[in-house]
């Protein structure tokens, strides 16, 4: 096993089995959450609760995984991708099956929103991490393949859940897709570790240290050839125990001081990042985008039924169209990043502005065909998640990407949890979705415009101060980096 810890990324071979397993893992985990808009009208009819309260289910399942992404990543680093994937498969499957027996919306918020959401976050962290371990030169291609699993899963599950509801009811549908999610455990079987997880390395180091301590404890007894009396041995044993307790206390104090220093350094580093105007604008724009962009994923299907544009749910629901368009958007926007003159910050701003305009058009659309076109556009623009690592790299540099990306995901996850419930409360107040979509579109437009202006100002400052590097902006606009 020690040899595995020094293996290099093979960029092929068993790595493609890892890609297939990771793709299927994301498809099975994210299929239902990405098509939660099909389940939302059924929950409204079943529990007769307010739209704002019911919307918490769909918002939490998307937001909890993002907010908990640092914890999920730490679990993968310490325990490895395979055990984490197995545990996440149990969580996703158990949460879905438990939701079939939900007596009210509050129970659904826990079983579907929190349990399934955390399971999805663990699956994503595990699949991305092990794929990065197996690929270096072809990492972008491998990550592009596995992340499309969420979009294809949303496309397939929207239709499948629709048919299962018609055949077996809402409870039967949740039980069946929960059974499907158990196959995530089978996907974990293919995830052969390339490197030893940190937990096993720590256990090995602790075992070696404990062995050394035992040898040192026995040493005085072995070296003393004459045992004078029992009191001397008792004295030596007492001194040894006292010395060990003092050493343990000193080690504990050093550990506490070390952790305090690490936390203070992390807070100081985070404050430095937020002083970067473009990065702060990126955080605000992502918060504004997620506040409005996830509203149609949950409410468009209910809007079509409420307005009488369609009876029941279409054979190909609107969330299916959004999911497949999102997959196309991820691939095309990712390819556009390889164009040498393309600026990722401006491209990301364009997708935000486009999303805001499309959201503002929804209230004036009075036919189902128009909603299909809008769903396709919203799905394509939502592929901008593949651009966020590029944008983050441009703004803060490669060295601080991991820390900055975690901060961005916190802003995005927190916003996703707030957006749909706020839109639902607006509907409960106005009895119309018009103001909810105007609210969502306005926030997304403001976020996109703010990021665009910040990037323009920063670029102008860089051009004026070419003699000295700007600490707040990154000059190298030609460098493109893909990061998991």
């Amino acid at each position: 096993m020690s040899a595995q810890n020094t293996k290099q990324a093979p960029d092929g071979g068993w790595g493609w089995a890892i890609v297939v397993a990771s793709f299927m893992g994301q498809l099975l985990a994210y299929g239902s959450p990405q098509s939660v808009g099909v389940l939302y009208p059924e929950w409204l009819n079943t529990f007769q609760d307010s739209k704002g309260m019911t919307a918490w289910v769909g918002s939490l399942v998307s937001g909890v995984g993002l907010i908990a992404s640092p914890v999920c990543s730490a679990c993968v680093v310490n325990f490895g991708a395979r055990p984490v994937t197995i545990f996440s498969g149990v969580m996703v499957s158990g949460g879905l099956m438990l939701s079939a027996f939900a007596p009210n919306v509050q129970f659904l918020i826990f079983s579907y929103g929190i349990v399934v959401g955390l399971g999805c976050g663990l699956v994503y962290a595990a699949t991305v991490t092990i794929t990065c371990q197996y690929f270096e030169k072809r990492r972008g291609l491998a990550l592009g393949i596995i992340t499309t699993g969420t979009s294809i899963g949303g496309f397939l599950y929207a239709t499948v859940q629709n048919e299962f509801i018609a055949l077996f009811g809402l409870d039967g549908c949740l039980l069946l897709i929960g059974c499907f999610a158990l196959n995530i455990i089978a996907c974990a079987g293919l995830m052969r570790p390339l490197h030893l997880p940190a937990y096993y390395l720590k256990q090995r180091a602790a075992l070696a240290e404990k062995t050394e301590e035992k040898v040192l404890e026995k040493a005085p007894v072995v070296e003393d050839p004459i045992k004078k009396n029992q009191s001397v041995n008792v004295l030596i044993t007492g001194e040894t125990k006292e010395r060990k307790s003092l050493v343990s206390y000193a080690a504990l104090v050093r550990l506490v001081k070390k952790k305090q220093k690490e936390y203070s350094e992390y807070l100081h580093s985070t404050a430095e990042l937020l002083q970067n105007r473009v990065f702060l604008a990126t955080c605000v724009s992502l918060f504004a985008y997620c506040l409005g962009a996830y509203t149609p994923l949950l409410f468009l299907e209910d809007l079509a039924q409420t307005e009488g544009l369609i009876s029941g749910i279409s054979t190909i629901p609107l969330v299916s169209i959004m999911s497949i368009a999102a997959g196309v958007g991820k691939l095309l926007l990712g390819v556009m990043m390889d164009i040498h003159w393309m600026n990722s910050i401006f491209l990301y701003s364009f997708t935000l502005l486009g999303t805001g305009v499309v959201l503002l058009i929804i209230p004036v659309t009075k036919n189902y065909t128009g909603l299909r076109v809008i769903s396709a556009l919203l799905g394509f623009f939502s592929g901008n998640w593949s651009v966020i690592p590029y944008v983050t790299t441009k703004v803060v540099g490669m060295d601080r990407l991991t820390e900055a990306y975690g901060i961005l995901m916190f802003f995005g996850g927190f916003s996703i949890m707030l957006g749909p419930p706020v839109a639902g409360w607006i509907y409960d107040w106005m009895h119309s979705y018009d103001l909810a979509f105007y609210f969502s579109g306005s926030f997304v437009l403001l976020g996109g415009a703010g990021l665009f202006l910040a990037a323009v100002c920063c670029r102008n400052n860089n051009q004026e101060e070419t003699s000295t590097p700007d600490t707040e902006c990154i000059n190298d606009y030609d460098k493109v980096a893909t990061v998991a």
Side-chain angles (χ1 to χ4, degrees), residues 40 57 98 113 118 139 205 230 253 259 292 344 450:
Y40 178 73
V57 182
L98 199 60
L118 283 175
R139 183 176 295 172
Q230 191 174 4
V253 171
K259 292 299 181 182
S344 60

Side-chain angles (χ1 to χ4, degrees), residues 71 191 219 392:
V71 178
M191 295 181 181
T392 311

Side-chain angles (χ1 to χ4, degrees), residues 214-483:
K214 288 182 178 179
V215 172
L216 291 175
E217 287 178 10
K218 293 179 180 178
V221 179
V222 174
E223 290 177 359
D224 188 5
I226 303 173
K227 295 183 180 179
K228 295 182 177 180
N229 49 45
Q230 191 174 4
S231 61
V232 175
N233 289 334
V234 171
L235 181 61
I236 293 174
T237 306
E239 289 179 354
T240 303
K241 289 182 178 180
E242 185 178 357
R243 193 181 300 114
K244 284 184 64 179
S245 63
L246 290 174
V247 170
S248 301
Y249 177 76
L252 180 61
V253 171
R254 286 196 302 269
L255 179 62
V256 171
K257 290 182 178 179
K258 181 182 177 182
K259 292 299 181 182
Q260 287 179 345
K261 183 179 179 181
E262 289 177 354
Y263 291 143
S264 62
E265 288 177 352
Y266 177 78
L267 292 175
H268 180 70
S269 179
T270 302
E272 284 184 350
L273 281 174
L274 294 177
Q275 289 175 2
N276 184 326
R277 288 173 294 179
V278 180
F279 179 69
L280 182 59
T282 306
C283 292
V284 173
S285 66
L286 183 64
F287 180 88
Y289 171 75
C290 294
L291 194 65
Y294 273 76
T295 300
L297 183 67
L298 197 62
F299 292 115
L300 264 187
E301 207 68 51
D302 186 58
L303 170 67
Q305 296 180 25
T306 303
E307 297 292 331
L309 304 180
I310 187 174
S311 57
I313 300 177
S314 174
T315 305
I316 302 180
L318 297 175
V319 288
S320 288
I321 299 173
M322 291 180 65
S323 296
I324 201 64
V328 174
K330 289 176 183 177
L331 293 175
L332 290 183
L333 292 173
V335 169
M336 292 176 70
M337 287 296 93
D338 292 331
I339 302 175
H340 69 279
W341 50 264
M342 183 63 65
N343 187 298
S344 60
I345 300 178
F346 291 151
L347 178 62
Y348 182 66
S349 302
F350 171 76
T351 60
L352 298 187
L353 294 172
T355 302
V357 171
V358 174
L359 285 171
L360 293 176
I361 296 175
I362 291 178
V364 299
T365 305
K366 299 302 179 183
N367 58 77
Y368 197 71
T369 303
L371 289 181
R372 286 175 172 171
V373 175
I374 286 173
S375 299
L377 290 173
L378 289 174
F380 178 82
F381 287 135
S382 70
N384 60 11
W385 283 93
S386 64
V387 183
I388 294 179
Y390 290 85
V391 174
T392 311
T393 305
K394 297 283 187 173
V395 176
V396 302
M398 195 70 182
D399 295 338
R400 308 190 71 177
L401 175 60
T402 303
E403 180 184 358
Y405 197 74
I407 296 172
L408 281 172
M409 291 303 100
F410 175 81
F411 274 90
F414 184 68
S415 180
I416 288 172
M417 289 196 303
L418 290 180
V422 169
W425 291 330
I426 292 175
Y427 180 91
D428 294 333
W429 175 42
M430 300 293 296
H431 298 287
S432 173
Y433 279 115
D434 292 353
L435 184 60
F437 283 109
Y438 285 137
F439 167 82
S440 301
S442 300
F443 262 87
V444 176
L445 274 177
L446 288 174
L451 179 60
F452 181 81
L453 292 176
V456 169
C457 293
C458 181
R459 191 174 188 181
N460 291 338
N461 290 338
N462 281 340
Q463 291 175 352
E464 293 174 0
E465 301 176 6
T466 54
S467 58
T468 57
D470 190 353
T471 58
E472 290 185 336
C473 307
I474 300 299
N475 268 333
D476 188 9
Y477 278 91
D478 296 326
K479 181 181 178 182
V480 177
T482 54
V483 178

Side-chain angles (χ1 to χ4, degrees), residues 46-47 98-108:
T46 301
F47 300 111
L98 199 60
S99 300
F101 303 97
N104 49 49
V105 173
Q106 288 75 17
F107 189 90
L108 272 178

Side-chain angles (χ1 to χ4, degrees), residues 189-200:
L190 297 176
M191 295 181 181
R192 187 170 62 199
L194 193 65
H195 305 293
L196 282 176
Y199 174 77
Y200 296 103

